[in-house]
Amino acid sequence: MIYQRSSQLFAEAEKVIPGGVNSPVRAFRAVGGTPIFVKSAKGAYLYDEDGNRLIDYINSWGPMVLGHAYEPVVEAVIEKAKLGTSFGMPTELETQIASLAVSMVPNIDKIRFVNSGTEACMSAVRLARGFTKRDKIIKFAGCYHGHSDSFLIQAGSGAVTFGTPNSPGVTSGTAKDTLLASYNDLENVNTLIKANKNEIAAIIVEPVAGNMGCIPPAKGFLEGLRELCTANGILLIFDEVMTGFRLARGGVQELFNINADIVCFGKVIGGGLPVGAFAAREEIMNFLAPLGPVYQAGTLSGNPLAMAAGLAMLQALDNDREIFKRLEEKTAYLGAGIERVLKANNVVFTINSVGSMISVHFDANPVNDFKSAGAGDNETFKKFFHGLVAEGVYIAPSAYETWFITDALTYEDLDFTINAIDKVSKTF
Ligand SMILES: *Cc1c(COP(=O)(O)O)cnc(C)c1O
């Protein structure tokens, strides 16, 4: 494959955009080389500026669960755009998507829409602090909750890939209110709670972690968090920006039958447009302005194009009761195929997977927290990544990322991918 035009475009971008990208994970810093510039995408495929076709396992880092340029979403956006693109006034569409989301997700009465997952998590924590009148939060090493100040403390994939786990620019005043626990370690959480009695507003967690590869919650972990929160007047925040509307209709709350107090959404809920949301029971959500004292706002929040895309996406998922089963079957097929060829080629690996999220780690030990996620062999990953790109398969340019399976992938695509992995892993 040729990357002449991508390289040229990147060189031009670097002159006017820091690092040539508008989000660091798009750069190829961890794997070397220069980013591939996309021209278009349809279904399971990306088409780049040099005319190469790539099977896509990033899918915009999660949103495109039904594949790229999904017709009903595209149509909805085009139709709405003709009627005006932003008003800063209420529209019926906002109530329609809110009602649908509330009907799909367990244990929420009201939802507020924002423009990104970052905003959703940042606002959820402010709401939790306002509601509990406490300042501190607990987050887990390797979990990512967007780039707002409170969360940039051992924040998983992007931050780790670039070697700045704790970002300069976050004041020590802010950092001291974020307590760090290790994922899947309830004892650690319990100790922090005891040491900070009546000071912790919320525990925020990726209920299936996806920003240090895919890491499932250990048996009893989420149940234990629920119990600790209830016993100590702490709000449990599920950051379902990645898992919401992907792992089940009602997200991880439904999948594992555990209630959170506040749930954050992003990615799939916007159908590929910039959308985030946070939701909770009425008593908590009524704390938000204009009903309550906790301020939160947005000029473009509930934007008609974004809401139209999100509504079309949620409707498609709501109407197709087999979708999550189908996604899981495709992922299991891919996982089994990868396992088969890596074993045959004597590669040391661990595969983690939940629903349509899957990650391949080049390490023999179980990967169940941030520390074990970092133990993989990055030199092997680099060869793996570049080898796959050369074969026409695109995964995230970092060993810390999850692959996202879309319904647009056919079993032929999956076989093509498994064969490519077979070929590439022979060269390790
Ligand atoms: C992507 C992600 C975010 C941040 O969402 P943005 O839309 O990129 O701001 C937050 N939490 C989780 C779990 C995510 O995967």
Side-chain angles (χ1 to χ4, degrees):
M1 291 199 186
I2 322 164
Y3 290 102
Q4 203 177 350
R5 196 168 148 71
S6 272
S7 300
Q8 279 167 5
L9 290 171
F10 183 61
E12 285 167 36
E14 276 187 298
K15 291 180 196 156
V16 285
I17 300 172
V21 292
N22 278 312
S23 190
V25 292
R26 296 175 198 169
F28 275 24
R29 288 292 170 96
V31 291
T34 54
I36 298 165
F37 276 59
V38 182
K39 188 157 197 177
S40 69
K42 181 73 192 166
Y45 309 120
L46 294 170
Y47 300 90
D48 72 15
E49 288 282 358
D50 288 284
N52 303 304
R53 190 198 85 169
L54 296 152
I55 299 181
D56 186 13
Y57 287 96
I58 299 188
N59 287 292
S60 184
W61 304 87
M64 320 314 295
V65 68
L66 301 177
H68 290 286
Y70 181 68
E71 212 66 49
V73 170
V74 173
E75 288 303 315
V77 171
I78 291 171
E79 285 314 306
K80 276 295 158 194
K82 291 177 188 161
L83 304 176
T85 59
S86 181
F87 314 114
M89 294 167 73
T91 59
E92 184 182 6
L93 196 52
E94 292 161 82
T95 312
Q96 288 169 339
I97 184 172
S99 305
L100 182 55
V102 166
S103 77
M104 291 172 80
V105 177
N107 190 40
I108 61 170
D109 299 319
K110 292 186 178 179
I111 184 165
R112 174 149 299 167
F113 284 90
V114 293
N115 306 291
S116 67
T118 295
E119 266 187 82
C121 295
M122 172 186 96
S123 308
V125 162
R126 185 184 304 138
L127 178 59
R129 284 173 166 153
F131 188 79
T132 58
K133 302 188 172 57
R134 298 173 177 182
D135 288 345
K136 292 184 178 170
I137 59 168
I138 294 179
K139 87 170 277 287
F140 294 92
C143 282
Y144 180 65
H145 306 295
H147 65 92
S148 99
D149 287 0
S150 312
F151 301 128
L152 284 184
I153 297 164
Q154 297 210 5
S157 54
V160 173
T161 306
F162 301 102
T164 50
N166 308 304
S167 175
V170 176
T171 65
S172 50
T174 299
K176 81 169 173 23
D177 284 330
T178 302
L179 308 174
L180 199 64
S182 85
Y183 199 78
N184 279 330
D185 186 347
L186 273 180
E187 221 12 78
N188 187 194
V189 176
N190 201 5
T191 307
L192 286 174
I193 292 174
K194 280 191 181 139
N196 297 272
K197 208 146 180 58
N198 299 325
E199 288 187 275
I200 297 169
I203 296 179
I204 185 165
V205 64
E206 287 182 68
V208 169
N211 284 290
M212 42 183 168
C214 171
I215 298 189
K219 205 167 156 32
F221 177 58
L222 297 176
E223 290 85 347
L225 291 181
R226 177 67 275 171
E227 280 168 24
L228 284 172
C229 284
T230 304
N232 292 283
I234 298 168
L235 296 186
L236 180 59
I237 303 177
F238 273 9
D239 176 355
E240 297 225 39
V241 170
M242 189 181 282
T243 55
F245 306 102
R246 167 169 287 282
L247 296 188
R249 229 171 133 261
V252 176
Q253 285 195 107
E254 175 190 313
L255 191 66
F256 295 141
N257 193 24
I258 296 165
N259 285 345
D261 296 304
I262 306 179
V263 191
C264 304
F265 297 104
K267 301 196 168 113
V268 175
I269 202 173
L273 269 79
V275 179
F278 58 107
R281 294 186 307 276
E282 189 163 12
E283 50 163 339
I284 298 175
M285 290 308 274
N286 286 356
F287 245 71
L288 277 180
L291 282 182
V294 174
Y295 196 70
Q296 185 281 322
T299 300
L300 291 174
S301 292
N303 172 269
L305 302 194
M307 295 297 97
L311 181 61
M313 177 63 95
L314 295 197
Q315 280 169 339
L317 297 174
D318 191 43
N319 291 335
D320 183 349
R321 293 300 160 123
E322 297 293 306
I323 174 74
F324 298 104
K325 187 163 155 267
R326 221 161 48 233
L327 285 168
E328 190 167 347
E329 284 166 0
K330 287 181 182 178
T331 311
Y333 182 86
L334 178 67
I338 298 175
E339 190 171 332
R340 193 174 60 241
V341 299
L342 290 183
K343 262 190 192 148
N345 293 320
N346 297 314
V347 178
V348 170
F349 68 96
T350 296
I351 294 175
N352 279 357
S353 171
V354 178
S356 55
M357 292 160 59
I358 182 168
S359 57
V360 180
H361 305 259
F362 293 108
D363 190 57
N365 298 312
V367 176
N368 47 25
D369 61 11
F370 185 50
K371 193 158 171 275
S372 46
D377 178 355
N378 204 47
E379 287 312 306
T380 304
F381 180 80
K382 283 187 199 174
K383 285 185 213 159
F384 186 62
F385 172 80
H386 287 293
L388 284 185
V389 169
E391 294 295 322
V393 174
Y394 194 60
I395 62 170
S398 158
Y400 286 98
E401 304 289 355
T402 298
W403 309 16
F404 299 105
I405 304 307
T406 121
D407 197 41
L409 283 162
T410 63
Y411 281 87
E412 252 178 17
D413 295 325
L414 298 175
D415 283 335
F416 182 95
T417 305
I418 294 163
N419 285 335
I421 292 174
D422 185 26
K423 201 168 151 190
V424 171
S425 56
K426 282 186 170 50
T427 68
F428 286 173

